Amino acid sequence: MSLAKTYTRAQVGIDAPLVTVEVHLSNGLPAFNIVGLPETSVKESKERVRCALTNSHFTFPEQRITVNLAPADLPKQGGRYDLAIAIGILVASGQIQNPNIQSFEFYGELALNGEIREITALVPALMSATHAQHYCFIPKTNEVMARLVSQSLRKSVMSLRDVWADLSGQHTLAWDEQSPCEPEKMVDFGIDMNEVKGQGAAKRVLEIAAAGAHNVLFLGPPGTGKSMLAQRMPTIMPAMELQQALETASVYSIIGKEINPTSWRQRPFRAPHHTCSAVALVGGSSTPKPGEISLAHNGVLFLDELPEYERKVLDSLREPMETGMVSISRAAQQVDFPANFQLIAALNPSPTGCHTDKRATPEQVLKYLSKVSGPFIDRIDLQIELPRLSTVELQSTFVEEGSEAIRLRVEQARAFALQRQGKVNALLSSKEIDKYCQLSGAVMAYLAKATEKLHLSPRSYHRVIKVSRTIADLAGQEDITLAHLKEALSYRAFERLLAQLIR
């Protein structure tokens, strides 16, 4: 037949829309044209496909070859279409005859000798192919990443001839192993919360944050353990659910980063330097790529030395912190990346390190802290000041509570919340707060007085209630008591510091 159709998938954010590769052979002067909005890397596949077919001892048709990549309005880029185009040419020229060819999807970049090279963004493609009940041919070098999508039906191949032999019935390849996705056992992180001396209040804040997925702000002079505590946050967080882990793996597969199959359900921890740009943090460039907030999806984003970041860079986080998504708009396309992360920020309360050392005036301290905008701070649920440790605490041999014990309480509290409302407390809407966070008359009256005295915004008002809900969950109580509310209100250290400076 002179007309053939094969399937592959494009990459748009973490989505993988189906691309139909139509190949037509017609009489006329020999030519090879690719249409369907191909970018330079796709146009260059003509030479890769030609050489791969020739060097694999196939006949390259000396005819007019037209390849259409549909849909035509979807930009195509990269070498991921090479294998699908080559198979389409072999089918159209009669060198492959398989009645079930349209049940397969083909992924892979071709080397000039016919070998198949790895591609990026394979995880979202396999997830979409599995949903469509299609079988896949993938590069052998992508096999480890492909095992994460355990339900996919796929065959890993080394070369173009391997695919030809299987489709032609010459040599049937075995299906790849389907690794069962059993509940992940917590592996050794190499760090533990018991290595942090003292700072019991800060550890309590991290426990609340892990249970309810709340954002945290640490204030304190240098050396009080802010970074050390933040780095140990993933050790007390529950392992990701399978769907969450696949979403995070999809983001990492876009940038071609390998994922360790033994620890792929651990929460990611990202700590970008304060010199990073808004594009590096949020994502972007001419060809949209995920930024640090998307790489921290379902995990932790740690921003140390918060005032050292450019203000516009920090303010670019405000919308993703609310929506859990980031939209990158360019002239050619708009791409959405997931960005449901927990923020842990740390800062010194003064440009000199400590606001009580008398080395900076209140005006200088206020100017330093004003580098962080009010709306950004308003989105942080838990704010706590870390005191400088005494010599007695530093020399103490007391064995602190380890991460495993804290994690067990966190898992129990989070399970309590998920059973009640189907989501973590930090994601509750205003309507859901009214339903699941009901307050008694006395507690409501106290919150009203505190709101007026502390000048809480409506957003902060709701966040205090959600933190109170998490504290009650950790205590195993259904009702939010006054003690829970008072503890939630005590975690407003940044606002108290500003109030002291303004006096």
Side-chain angles (χ1 to χ4, degrees), residues 374-437:
F376 178 81
I377 293 295
D378 206 30
R379 288 167 166 81
I380 299 180
D381 311 31
L382 299 161
Q383 308 160 17
I384 186 169
E385 186 168 1
L386 277 64
R388 197 184 297 274
L389 294 177
S390 65
T391 305
V392 175
E393 289 176 303
L394 287 173
Q395 296 178 345
S396 172
T397 57
F398 176 75
V399 179
E400 302 281 349
E401 187 177 31
S403 295
E404 185 175 358
I406 301 174
R407 186 172 62 250
L408 290 175
R409 294 197 298 269
V410 167
E411 290 174 345
Q412 186 175 10
R414 184 169 286 201
F416 193 23
L418 293 176
Q419 183 179 11
R420 180 182 59 243
Q421 65 220 12
K423 60 173 68 174
V424 292
N425 293 326
L427 300 180
L428 291 174
S429 64
S430 299
K431 185 177 180 180
E432 291 168 332
I433 289 175
D434 295 336
K435 181 177 181 180
Y436 300 113
C437 306

Side-chain angles (χ1 to χ4, degrees), residues 106-382:
F106 303 91
Y107 310 104
E109 177 183 332
L110 289 176
L112 299 186
N113 62 356
E115 291 182 356
I116 300 177
R117 291 173 173 160
E118 65 180 326
I119 62 169
T120 59
L122 182 63
V123 172
L126 286 178
M127 291 171 64
S128 299
T130 302
H131 182 71
Q133 297 182 341
H134 283 177
Y135 309 104
C136 302
F137 283 94
I138 65 170
K140 186 70 174 179
T141 48
N142 280 122
E143 183 181 3
V144 174
M145 183 73 79
R147 286 180 182 175
L148 303 182
V149 190
S150 61
Q151 300 303 314
S152 60
L153 292 172
R154 62 194 184 276
K155 295 183 178 182
S156 299
V157 289
M158 294 286 292
S159 67
L160 185 56
R161 290 202 68 86
D162 290 344
V163 184
W164 170 82
D166 184 88
L167 293 176
S168 301
Q170 301 291 327
H171 176 67
T172 303
L173 299 175
W175 295 101
D176 287 356
E177 177 185 355
Q178 289 187 329
S179 303
C181 288
E182 299 175 353
E184 186 80 4
K185 296 180 180 179
M186 298 303 295
V187 299
D188 184 13
F189 286 89
I191 54 177
D192 197 278
M193 196 66 77
N194 60 18
E195 298 166 353
V196 182
K197 293 184 178 294
Q199 303 299 4
K203 293 178 182 177
R204 169 66 174 172
V205 163
L206 286 184
E207 182 177 340
I208 296 170
H214 303 290
N215 300 322
V216 180
L217 175 66
F218 288 140
L219 296 91
T224 52
K226 300 186 295 294
S227 300
M228 196 174 183
L229 284 162
Q231 291 164 1
R232 283 153 181 76
M233 176 67 165
T235 68
I236 65 172
M237 298 174 72
M240 289 187 285
E241 298 294 331
L242 177 59
Q243 186 59 36
Q244 292 177 327
L246 284 173
E247 290 175 0
T248 303
S250 296
V251 176
Y252 278 80
S253 71
I254 292 172
I255 61 173
K257 185 175 178 63
E258 288 293 332
I259 294 178
N260 188 345
T262 62
S263 59
W264 72 292
R265 289 174 69 175
Q266 289 180 23
R267 305 275 177 174
F269 180 85
R270 305 293 298 186
H273 193 261
H274 59 76
T275 56
C276 76
S277 64
V279 171
L281 194 62
V282 176
S285 83
S286 57
T287 303
K289 296 291 183 182
E292 290 290 337
I293 62 174
S294 295
L295 296 175
H297 181 56
N298 291 318
V300 176
L301 178 71
F302 178 48
L303 302 182
D304 200 7
E305 307 296 344
L306 195 64
E308 301 300 328
Y309 289 84
E310 291 188 25
R311 183 163 179 162
K312 65 177 183 180
V313 173
L314 291 180
D315 286 343
S316 66
L317 297 180
R318 283 157 50 180
E319 183 179 353
M321 287 170 68
E322 290 290 320
T323 63
M325 294 288 294
V326 58
S327 297
I328 310 297
S329 297
R330 294 294 180 265
Q333 60 181 325
Q334 176 177 326
V335 177
D336 295 330
F337 291 113
N340 185 20
F341 60 91
Q342 272 185 260
L343 175 68
I344 299 183
L347 57 84
N348 300 324
S350 167
T352 61
C354 182
H355 63 288
T356 59
D357 58 9
K358 307 300 182 183
R359 294 168 56 198
T361 64
E363 291 77 16
Q364 290 174 320
V365 175
L366 194 61
K367 181 179 179 181
Y368 174 75
L369 296 179
S370 65
K371 293 180 180 180
V372 185
S373 68
F376 178 81
I377 293 295
D378 206 30
R379 288 167 166 81
I380 299 180
D381 311 31
L382 299 161

Side-chain angles (χ1 to χ4, degrees), residues 1-4 23-27 61 63-66 88-89 91-94:
M1 61 184 295
S2 61
L3 180 64
V23 179
H24 182 243
L25 306 182
S26 60
N27 296 327
Q63 295 176 271
R64 184 176 184 84
I65 304 173
T66 304
I89 292 175
V91 173
S93 61

